[in-house]
Amino acid sequence: GFCLNRMQIFFFIVLVFLIFEYTSQQEVQQEAWKRVKAVGYKPHRNVPLWKAILRDMEQASNFTRTDSFTMHDWGADAGYFSMVAAVHFPAAKVVSFEMHSQVKSGHMPAKKLVAGATKSWDRHISTLRKARITNNRICDAQFSAATFIALQNRKLMVNVQLVLNILHWMEMSASEFDEFFAKVCQLAKITYLMLPLDPQPKAANPYKVEHWLAGRGIPEVVAAIASKHNLELDVVHVRSVSAKESYGQRPLYKITYTPKADQDYVPQYACESVWHVVGCLDELPNKHYSRCW
């Protein structure tokens, strides 16, 4: 009769487990797309962009579903990237930074949410509730270039940050950009960066980014600040964005930062310190989602 020895039984069990694990992961990813619909500014480009980021995180940076890490999503809008990241990585802590309020004298009551921001806020909160996402918090703050600098000065670093189409809204001169960008790169071990490289016709200063880069590409800027500040930085082009998805060139880059032994960063995620430095508000509806863990 047919008989399996112990080794064959062992390998059979391992094979069944691997098939089950793979199937479970596929089901988790499919469930994530169902639970978090593409929302926010230009939602049609969000899904392929997130797929590129996720693929890079899992294949190039070896993130797994069970990893516990911290992620900052700057300029989160309706929170799509934050929420889908939170679903895919349920052990992670994801913070969405967005200017949902017009901030005057440090704070403003919830009823004075600006037009447009209310819709983004409602969509974000609504999806968090419906999808039962518990590992995504929202920081409502009027952040600026000074915010990034203050965080880096306090050595408040995270594992991953999404800086997608947000830096070009910052105000600074061409002579200030490299120093600022060096601070941004030191705020996370991995930074996913997207910056419009072509002139922005609707912007107050359409050629701002062009002046900042001064004929250089992102890899050249990263190399320059790494050399000047003695930083261990690596940059990889992850994805190009097609004309259908965006206006002009907005390539996605991954910048990896490896702190040196003498760069004394805060070892644990200091949520309260981040909230204080950024100036996150807690006067908005659904305070549960706008406070630290």
Side-chain angles (χ1 to χ4, degrees):
F2 180 74
C3 183
L4 295 175
N5 60 36
R6 291 183 178 180
M7 186 61 69
Q8 289 172 320
I9 293 173
F10 171 77
F11 280 115
F12 177 75
I13 293 172
V14 170
L15 178 62
V16 170
F17 173 79
L18 291 175
I19 293 173
F20 174 78
E21 184 69 14
Y22 175 79
T23 304
S24 298
Q25 290 295 329
Q26 294 297 105
E27 289 176 353
V28 166
Q29 292 196 10
Q30 291 300 320
E31 184 65 20
W33 305 128
K34 293 177 184 177
R35 291 163 66 186
V36 184
K37 295 181 180 180
V39 293
Y41 181 65
K42 296 191 180 301
H44 61 283
R45 76 180 178 197
N46 289 348
V47 172
L49 184 56
W50 167 248
K51 286 183 177 180
I53 293 172
L54 178 63
R55 182 169 56 250
D56 185 85
M57 289 182 68
E58 293 183 331
Q59 298 179 7
S61 300
N62 299 317
F63 282 91
T64 68
R65 176 171 166 76
T66 58
D67 284 347
S68 176
F69 62 91
T70 50
M71 174 187 282
H72 283 175
D73 180 8
W74 293 97
D77 192 44
Y80 173 74
F81 295 104
S82 297
M83 291 187 289
V84 77
V87 170
H88 276 287
F89 302 104
K93 292 181 177 179
V94 184
V95 180
S96 309
F97 295 92
E98 187 51 79
M99 305 178 197
H100 288 294
S101 298
Q102 283 283 25
V103 183
K104 296 180 180 178
S105 301
H107 68 280
M108 178 169 276
K111 64 182 180 180
K112 300 220 177 158
L113 284 167
V114 294
T118 306
K119 194 171 184 180
S120 295
W121 171 268
D122 287 343
R123 283 180 175 177
H124 197 162
I125 293 294
S126 175
T127 306
L128 288 175
R129 282 176 163 177
K130 291 177 181 177
R132 298 181 181 178
I133 299 171
T134 60
N135 57 326
N136 177 206
R137 294 289 188 270
I138 304 171
C139 168
D140 176 38
Q142 193 83 358
F143 59 86
S144 65
T147 307
F148 290 86
I149 294 170
L151 286 171
Q152 201 281 319
N153 288 342
R154 293 279 297 273
K155 304 295 185 182
L156 297 170
M157 186 172 70
V158 294
N159 299 101
V160 181
Q161 65 176 350
L162 305 181
V163 187
L164 307 175
N165 299 308
I166 188 67
L167 294 189
H168 62 289
W169 294 100
M170 308 290 173
E171 293 300 330
M172 72 194 78
S173 66
S175 61
E176 295 171 319
F177 176 72
D178 280 21
E179 294 297 315
F180 164 72
F181 194 56
K183 296 283 188 181
V184 173
C185 292
Q186 295 176 77
L187 280 176
K189 293 180 180 178
I190 295 175
T191 297
Y192 289 98
L193 172 77
M194 183 176 278
L195 191 66
L197 302 184
D198 291 332
Q200 302 298 296
K202 295 182 180 181
N205 183 355
Y207 300 97
K208 182 193 295 184
V209 175
E210 186 176 323
H211 293 156
W212 286 351
L213 299 181
R216 305 167 297 173
I218 295 298
E220 288 74 27
V221 175
V222 171
I225 62 176
S227 175
K228 181 176 180 179
H229 296 280
N230 191 28
L231 301 174
E232 195 169 329
L233 295 172
D234 179 65
V235 59
V236 176
H237 177 263
V238 177
R239 184 178 186 271
S240 295
V241 177
S242 68
K244 292 182 179 180
E245 296 172 6
S246 183
Y247 297 120
Q249 300 180 70
R250 297 193 184 211
L252 174 67
Y253 288 98
K254 178 178 75 173
I255 301 170
T256 304
Y257 169 53
T258 305
K260 297 180 179 178
D262 60 344
Q263 293 169 323
D264 189 23
Y265 281 86
V266 177
Q268 302 295 328
Y269 184 63
C271 186
E272 295 290 350
S273 297
V274 171
W275 248 239
H276 174 72
V277 172
V278 180
C280 307
L281 304 183
D282 63 359
E283 297 187 1
L284 297 174
N286 303 288
K287 292 183 179 181
H288 170 75
Y289 297 108
S290 59
R291 288 181 175 173
C292 283
W293 286 271

